[in-house]
Amino acid sequence: MRLLNKGIESFLHFFFPIFKKWLAYDVYAYLAVGAINTALNILLFAILYEFILPKEGWLIQGYTIASYTIALFIAFFATIPTGFWLSKNFAFKSASSGAKKTTKQLFKYILVVGQGLGSDYLILKGLILFASMEPTVAKIFSTVIVLTVNFLLQKYFTFKK
């Protein structure tokens, strides 16, 4: 684990000079580890949807749930621990620790990322329906909004000093 920590820290410090002009280190680290966790989330989603889950979805108590919806939720919940670990150890290292504090931070982290998932969906849907925006462009806008709000919530709510 120590080698992994050192590797991620070295990776972050290696590329930081490129972004130093525009971003504070904590913002840069948040975006970088968030990108790592997002890539893991997308990879997990793709593996589940393309290779593991039945294409026709699952019939649960008379309702068919699309495979992509199941993959979305499994990937989301599976990457909560990695996202929390990456954020706590690399983006918000200065936040206090200890078992009790970490449990409280994890609970807050889950609240924030859950809010982010819901907000992303609502903003995306709203931009498509009410602003007639193309879905990919709407996704870019919603992601920027959600990432900004999530960063502020993680910094001043979840991992506040």
Side-chain angles (χ1 to χ4, degrees), residues 20-72:
K20 191 176 189 173
K21 196 181 222 182
W22 304 284
L23 300 171
Y25 184 79
D26 62 342
V27 176
Y28 158 77
Y30 178 78
L31 292 172
V33 297
I36 292 167
N37 202 55
T38 300
L40 178 62
N41 180 283
I42 291 168
L43 178 65
L44 184 56
F45 173 90
I47 290 169
L48 288 166
Y49 180 71
E50 295 295 337
F51 304 111
I52 297 174
L53 296 170
K55 293 289 184 240
E56 64 276 1
W58 280 354
L59 186 63
I60 300 174
Q61 294 187 349
Y63 295 99
T64 300
I65 301 175
S67 291
Y68 60 81
T69 301
I70 296 167
L72 174 74

Side-chain angles (χ1 to χ4, degrees), residues 120 124 127-128 133-144:
D120 195 20
L124 179 67
L127 290 172
I128 293 167
M133 207 175 270
E134 196 274 325
T136 303
V137 174
K139 177 62 178 156
I140 292 167
F141 274 98
S142 69
T143 299
V144 168

